[in-house]
Amino acid sequence: MTTTSTTSPRRAPQPSGARRGERQGPEAPTAHGGLDTLVLGRRIRHLRTQRGLTLEDLGSAIGRAPSQVSMLENGHREPKLSLLAQIADALDVPLAELLRTEPPSRRAALEVELERAQRGPLFGQLGLPTVKVGKSLPSDALEALVALQHQVERLLTEHAATPEEARRANAELRARMRERDNYFPELEDHASTLLAAIGHTGGPLSQRATADIAAHLGFTLHHVPDLPHSTRTVTDLAHGRIYLPQGERGGSDSRSPLLQALASHVLGHAEPRDYRDFLRQRVEANYLAAALMLPRDSAVAFLTAAKEERRLSVEDLRDAFAVPYETAAHRFTNLATRHLDLPVHFMKVHEGGTLHKAYENDGVAFPSDPLGAIEGQPVCRHWTARVVFTLEDRFSPYYQYTDTSSGTYWCTSRVQPSSQGAFSVSVGVPFAHVRWFRGRETPERSRSRCPDPSCCRQPPTELAQRWEGASWPSARPHASLLAALPVGVFPGVDTTEVYEFLDRHAPA
């Protein structure tokens, strides 16, 4: 969120004899060609003092008052190129020496940074007095002030990574995915290029082929027993190594974390700038990994044939490409609209009834908060994604029609275990498109009146009369409800643990 300060920076007084075309004011950050006037001024001062010249000496040489030279050196004036040429002649240096973009010394760099900070919006918002940045300011004090500025900016960034900010970022990302039908042709092309490079001609991607992709990209694989607990993989970019856990954590497909790590490398991901950037990178890496495990051409051919025979099934897609059910469900949403002309929705719901993640472009109305975020929202008890938890056989596919406020939808759902509890994974379509799917003949049908509270969020009258005021449940809230998101470049990752791990395993 951007805020605007009501405190304007004070404008430097107009010196007598100022020339036309020379802009005054400390807010002017650059000179002609985008040069930083602060850096330019420090370079002039550095060269002047190196040559033993005073302000008066330089001013006399270029026909300006000493006060005007001081304004130039403090970055308060944007000089013309002709004046810069005069200064370069007076200092006996090429003009290019003045125009170099780096500060001339460590102290000069600190002075520039502090000056820039004091002219920025943060100091204005805090109402702090400015510090005169001159030679009388001790270097240790200058170091401390700049370090303090960094810490204030860091704390503000961490403060912004609240659950509210995360929900807003998730809502924005979901809207962008809907606009593109959750289909990213540039990532599909990346996948096709990598598969062609290893000679993969179609069908499931084997463990060997996955390792071949890593080798093609210049990485060796190392399975270790001490992978940091906050990571799925660790990539040593300096030595071309990818570290993986020995054995599979939580029964997941071991290809997926490796391919996600390779995807981040292929896509040139840098350290995330903020939580939005982190989410975008995660979505891109997951998408490219899935596009490698279920290649577009093979998957589309498989699904097209299934649609022609009216037997579309996420389970069949899973079995044909030997991937987890959730991966197959995600991949189906990538391809369904662009290649099969089917609008679709996807849901992953915790056994506690809350929505973990979802996607739709078929008009289904997910529960959401005022920010438009859906994560953590309670799902109607009558929806397929909740009903499946009530079944005796929770791990076979379950099909159901549900009448909702936004129309009638058919959905297939199944339960999968995880270290965080059981989740249902569901894929559905509007009633008009169900004729293409296995399970369309199901007699199961339900009705949802949500968000009307009388649908399922209020207890029946008889139960309420019997127990209201006579019970006290002890809630088990998720820790994320009580604190801000984990902070750091990669949320939730213990950076110290990762660096210590790399030190242990790096080749001598």
Side-chain angles (χ1 to χ4, degrees):
M1 182 171 61
T2 302
T3 56
T4 303
S5 170
T6 57
T7 304
S8 299
R10 290 176 296 178
R11 196 177 281 273
Q14 174 101 353
S16 59
R19 305 295 179 90
R20 291 180 62 186
E22 294 175 5
R23 190 167 65 227
Q24 279 77 39
E27 75 282 359
T30 60
H32 295 291
L35 288 176
D36 190 323
T37 56
L38 287 171
V39 174
L40 176 65
R42 261 44 182 202
R43 295 199 67 81
I44 294 173
R45 177 181 297 167
H46 177 75
L47 293 167
R48 175 179 62 78
T49 55
Q50 259 193 350
R51 283 150 181 73
L53 300 176
T54 64
L55 289 170
E56 289 79 4
D57 294 335
L58 182 55
S60 177
I62 63 174
R64 302 296 173 98
S67 60
Q68 291 178 260
V69 178
S70 178
M71 293 287 285
L72 286 172
E73 292 186 350
N74 288 319
H76 293 323
R77 178 177 297 177
E78 183 178 305
K80 286 184 175 181
L81 190 60
S82 58
L83 179 58
L84 288 179
Q86 286 182 273
I87 295 172
D89 288 341
L91 296 175
D92 194 27
V93 295
L95 179 59
E97 182 68 20
L98 290 185
L99 300 180
R100 289 171 59 184
T101 57
E102 70 277 6
S105 65
R106 164 67 178 168
R107 179 179 172 93
L110 291 170
E111 289 180 355
V112 167
E113 189 165 359
L114 182 56
E115 286 274 20
R116 187 174 291 121
Q118 292 188 122
R119 300 177 190 188
L122 178 58
F123 268 67
Q125 291 169 21
L126 296 177
L128 297 174
T130 58
V131 176
K132 184 177 180 181
V133 184
K135 61 182 180 181
S136 61
L137 181 64
S139 294
D140 56 350
L142 183 58
E143 291 270 9
L145 287 170
V146 171
L148 181 61
Q149 162 72 9
H150 290 167
Q151 289 301 311
V152 170
E153 290 179 346
R154 180 184 64 82
L155 290 171
L156 286 174
T157 301
E158 291 180 2
H159 177 69
T162 59
E164 177 182 330
E165 186 69 16
R167 291 196 299 272
R168 195 186 304 275
N170 270 296
E172 293 172 359
L173 178 61
R174 197 173 69 256
R176 288 196 297 273
M177 293 166 67
R178 187 188 306 117
E179 289 172 359
R180 304 186 64 168
D181 293 325
N182 202 21
Y183 185 74
F184 296 82
E186 66 277 13
L187 300 181
E188 301 285 354
D189 292 342
H190 273 301
S192 297
T193 299
L194 286 172
L195 292 171
I198 64 167
H200 184 77
T201 56
L205 188 72
S206 66
Q207 293 279 2
R208 173 62 64 85
T210 305
D212 289 344
I213 293 175
H216 169 71
L217 295 172
F219 289 98
T220 57
L221 307 182
H222 303 266
H223 293 82
V224 295
D226 59 339
L227 195 73
H229 295 290
S230 58
T231 65
R232 300 181 70 198
T233 63
V234 173
T235 304
D236 180 350
L237 296 172
H239 301 98
R241 293 179 159 210
I242 296 179
Y243 295 99
L244 303 148
Q246 285 183 351
E248 298 178 5
R249 291 183 176 178
S252 62
D253 188 328
S254 61
R255 293 171 300 171
S256 181
L258 171 57
L259 289 173
Q260 288 167 13
L262 294 171
S264 291
H265 172 73
V266 169
L267 298 174
H269 287 165
E271 290 185 352
R273 297 184 301 274
D274 51 31
Y275 191 70
R276 283 175 174 78
D277 201 30
F278 170 76
L279 284 180
R280 176 189 61 78
Q281 291 183 7
R282 186 175 67 173
V283 166
E284 290 178 351
N286 289 345
Y287 190 112
L288 182 51
L292 288 167
M293 288 192 288
L294 295 90
R296 175 181 53 195
D297 293 347
S298 299
V300 168
F302 178 86
L303 291 171
T304 300
K307 183 184 178 186
E308 290 173 353
E309 297 177 10
R310 301 192 177 212
R311 56 173 180 81
L312 281 173
S313 165
V314 176
E315 288 81 11
D316 290 350
L317 184 65
R318 172 202 62 189
D319 295 342
F321 289 88
V323 296
Y325 184 85
E326 185 177 350
T327 301
H330 271 298
R331 191 64 175 139
F332 182 80
T333 69
N334 297 151
L335 304 172
T337 304
R338 292 296 182 91
H339 292 281
L340 304 176
D341 199 27
L342 296 174
V344 67
H345 67 266
F346 165 91
M347 301 176 68
K348 184 176 182 180
V349 176
H350 188 261
E351 59 186 336
T354 55
L355 193 55
H356 185 69
K357 57 184 176 180
Y359 162 78
E360 59 81 20
N361 68 355
D362 62 356
V364 70
F366 292 135
S368 64
D369 66 10
L371 296 174
I374 60 174
E375 290 74 19
Q377 295 298 305
V379 173
C380 179
R381 291 174 177 270
H382 303 299
W383 283 20
T384 315
R386 291 288 301 278
V387 175
V388 69
F389 287 112
T390 69
L391 305 178
E392 183 176 348
D393 181 6
R394 299 168 61 185
F395 300 101
S396 294
Y398 172 68
Y399 310 107
Q400 177 183 297
Y401 291 96
T402 308
D403 299 319
T404 75
S405 59
S406 56
T408 298
Y409 293 88
W410 172 90
C411 202
T412 175
S413 186
R414 62 176 298 130
V415 175
Q416 61 182 29
S418 80
S419 59
Q420 298 175 322
F423 287 88
S424 67
V425 174
S426 311
V427 171
V429 294
F431 179 82
H433 296 277
V434 71
R435 64 185 182 275
W436 310 110
F437 288 82
R438 288 187 189 273
R440 61 187 177 275
E441 68 282 353
T442 179
E444 301 295 337
R445 188 155 193 157
S446 184
R447 183 187 177 199
S448 168
R449 298 189 312 279
C450 282
D452 182 346
S454 66
C455 177
C456 64
R457 300 190 189 185
Q458 293 177 344
T461 303
E462 182 180 348
L463 283 176
Q465 290 175 345
R466 183 184 309 165
W467 293 108
E468 190 172 5
S471 63
W472 185 264
S474 180
R476 183 194 286 173
H478 293 292
S480 60
L481 297 178
L482 308 177
L485 291 169
V487 297
V489 172
F490 300 96
V493 173
D494 186 332
T495 305
T496 301
E497 185 183 20
V498 170
Y499 290 170
E500 290 174 346
F501 166 84
L502 288 171
D503 255 0
R504 288 196 303 273
H505 289 276

